[in-house]
Amino acid sequence: LFSDVDRRYRGMDNQVHSLKPGEENYSTYSLWDTYRAAHPLSTLTQGPRLPGMIGGLARMGQESPAGAPIWPLQGRETDTMIGYHSAAVLAEACIKGVPGVDYKAAYKVIRKRAFDDDVHGFGLYRQLGYIPADKVDESVSRTLEFAYSDWCASKLAAAVGAHEDARKLRERSRNYRNLFDSYIHFMRGKKADGTWVTPYFPQSLGHDQKRWRDYTETNGWQATFLNQHDLYGYMQMFGGEKAFEAKLDALFNAPSDLDHGSLDDISGLVGQYAHGNEPSHHVAYLYAYAGALPKTQSRVRMLMKAMYRAEPNGLEGNEDCGQMSAWYVLSALGLYTVDPVSGVYVFGSPLVNRARLALGNGWHLSIVAEGNGPDKVYVSGVRLNGKAWSRSWISHDTLMRGGELRFLMSATPNPAFGARLADRPPSFV
């Protein structure tokens, strides 16, 4: 909370405002990090706080001279990190029915960023469909994060009735295609004239580290898996689901050496997967979209054990306002949000034997991992309120009705569970 006891607060415009009944003022939104799991965890467990948290974020954008929030800290915009991920948090809240928020007013702020503002290369992005690596630093990551923010903004636009905006943003969210090199199957920098930058090494930060970094706290390996919203379209660019699965395997099995001059942020390495920084957090769950759910289960269980230790310096990366821990909590429950605005949780491998969540709407959800143990990392089946559940995912609306979600754990994988296309998580819908 960032307000005085008399309900006054200093806003992003440096003016003193008074909160209306039902409003709250918050600060310290590490949005580039927290949209991935910390905010989705809040939608499950912090229902009474959500109207104030989300409404405050929307009001912040209206008050701030900088417009749509990027990383507000202590009532000021730090303009740190990339994308415009307030769109993700607002769209997720809207899709999941968080009440008491003026989403139409919030969309006006997001729309200005999406269609008018020229920040961090956004004008070039709209003009060319990508950000040129010889014009703007960290161009590949910026392009890919703008594409995901566009996807989130499209969902918010559709929800408030701006359907033409939604159509344009939805199509623009596929701009990731413009930086995919179909010959080597990596995301890489491209110049303004349309040619690839050279030299290219996937473990490198960029083509000229003295002047240009092509990626934000990642390298080519990690950035290649930044797609969160169009997985089935993306798989085809690799040559289909099996080729995509093989590329995921290659990520986790690659040598963990880093290019000279790499950043401390690239930590918690398993191959070239970097759990110590947030852009990798959804990647182990991508196997579910390729119909290889057991690989998600084994990878996630390994990461929970290896990357989180009960000792000083027990986290393999920066906590970043709760994101590292939120990944662990959701994953320990057997759930994760690859694309938060879809309202879908992908199943992983629950670490806890039993958990009970107060959902904030008067309902409770019990999660049970039947037969769980250190060697029982695979989910052979799922039952919801006693009935068999064949999908490898579950919707937010279904979870919020409460009841019992039971995972049947096994020491051996069940490759049939969640393998059918109809049972895999939806994407780009």
Side-chain angles (χ1 to χ4, degrees):
L1 283 171
F2 193 69
S3 57
D4 292 330
V5 294
D6 62 0
R7 306 281 290 164
R8 294 189 303 162
Y9 68 96
R10 188 172 293 278
M12 301 280 280
D13 54 3
N14 205 31
Q15 302 300 307
V16 175
H17 302 266
S18 293
L19 292 165
K20 299 175 184 177
E23 291 182 339
E24 297 290 358
N25 191 56
Y26 286 81
S27 190
T28 315
Y29 288 77
S30 181
L31 295 167
W32 183 77
D33 308 291
T34 55
Y35 86 83
R36 306 168 194 272
H39 284 285
L41 180 60
S42 292
T43 64
L44 277 177
T45 63
Q46 304 297 319
R49 291 187 175 94
L50 291 176
M53 292 170 63
I54 304 303
L57 182 63
R59 191 175 60 252
M60 198 180 295
Q62 295 172 292
E63 293 172 356
S64 174
I70 294 178
W71 208 127
L73 173 67
Q74 299 298 300
R76 291 293 179 271
E77 179 56 73
T78 67
D79 199 30
T80 300
M81 307 315 297
I82 60 176
Y84 58 108
H85 293 307
S86 49
V89 176
L90 290 164
E92 180 201 12
C94 183
I95 297 302
K96 293 180 178 178
V98 174
V101 180
D102 188 343
Y103 290 108
K104 287 188 176 181
Y107 177 64
K108 288 182 181 179
V109 174
I110 296 300
R111 188 189 191 283
K112 182 176 182 300
R113 175 56 45 88
F115 290 106
D116 300 325
D117 294 346
D118 187 4
V119 294
H120 305 303
F122 213 170
L124 289 166
Y125 170 87
R126 286 193 290 262
Q127 176 187 347
L128 300 175
Y130 66 96
I131 297 176
D134 54 343
K135 300 292 184 182
V136 181
D137 197 28
E138 302 177 3
S139 62
V140 179
S141 292
R142 293 185 192 278
T143 296
L144 300 177
E145 299 270 2
F146 276 146
Y148 182 69
S149 293
D150 283 347
W151 168 251
C152 298
S154 78
K155 303 292 276 189
L156 185 59
V160 301
H163 297 295
E164 181 59 18
D165 284 358
R167 184 193 65 77
K168 292 178 181 178
L169 288 164
R170 180 183 172 93
E171 177 56 32
R172 205 171 76 186
S173 77
R174 281 181 157 164
N175 277 349
Y176 66 82
R177 296 175 293 188
N178 298 324
L179 293 184
F180 185 82
D181 186 335
S182 59
Y183 182 72
I184 61 172
H185 291 171
F186 279 102
M187 289 289 182
R188 63 183 296 189
K190 183 182 286 187
K191 297 179 183 179
D193 64 7
T195 61
W196 298 117
V197 297
T198 56
Y200 178 78
F201 305 102
Q203 73 273 27
S204 172
L205 296 174
H207 65 283
D208 180 358
Q209 291 184 29
K210 293 182 179 179
R211 184 180 180 191
W212 301 109
R213 288 178 180 166
D214 297 336
Y215 309 99
T216 303
E217 297 184 4
T218 55
N219 61 30
W221 269 111
Q222 294 130 31
T224 293
F225 296 96
L226 282 179
N227 195 312
Q228 296 170 247
H229 64 289
D230 188 22
L231 273 308
Y232 299 109
Y234 195 42
M235 285 182 203
Q236 296 310 309
M237 298 175 67
F238 290 86
E241 63 186 45
K242 290 300 181 184
F244 182 71
E245 180 185 342
K247 191 71 171 185
L248 281 168
D249 290 342
L251 170 75
F252 283 102
N253 293 323
S256 293
D257 57 303
L258 295 174
D259 197 53
H260 176 71
S262 189
L263 301 174
D264 290 340
D265 303 89
I266 303 176
S267 62
L269 288 169
V270 180
Q272 284 292 321
Y273 170 89
H275 192 78
N277 210 19
E278 284 68 22
S280 288
H281 277 186
H282 65 284
V283 173
Y285 289 89
L286 296 182
Y287 283 111
Y289 294 80
L293 190 60
K295 290 186 178 180
T296 283
Q297 295 158 2
S298 61
R299 289 292 183 196
V300 167
R301 182 67 74 93
M302 177 273 293
L303 291 169
M304 283 189 281
K305 291 290 190 178
M307 302 294 165
Y308 298 83
R309 302 179 305 279
E311 59 187 52
N313 202 28
L315 289 178
E316 286 290 339
N318 189 336
E319 170 69 328
D320 282 319
C321 298
Q323 170 59 28
M324 286 287 290
S325 293
W327 184 95
Y328 182 87
V329 173
L330 281 174
S331 294
L333 295 172
L335 308 167
Y336 195 73
T337 51
V338 170
D339 173 19
V341 304
S342 69
V344 164
Y345 301 84
V346 180
F347 292 148
S349 176
L351 187 63
V352 299
N353 296 331
R354 182 180 295 270
R356 189 170 186 263
L357 280 66
L359 299 174
N361 56 3
W363 296 96
H364 290 81
L365 174 69
S366 293
I367 294 178
V368 179
E370 183 180 310
N372 205 9
D375 61 335
K376 303 282 186 69
V377 306
Y378 298 105
V379 177
S380 62
V382 172
R383 302 186 74 83
L384 179 65
N385 297 324
K387 296 181 179 179
W389 184 271
S390 64
R391 295 172 177 171
S392 61
W393 60 278
I394 194 166
S395 73
H396 180 78
D397 288 345
T398 300
L399 284 185
M400 292 300 288
R401 297 188 193 112
E404 183 189 81
L405 180 65
R406 182 174 290 264
F407 294 92
L408 308 178
M409 307 304 295
S410 172
T412 56
N414 177 7
F417 178 62
R420 292 192 314 146
L421 187 59
D423 289 332
R424 300 180 201 174
S427 187
F428 208 73
V429 295

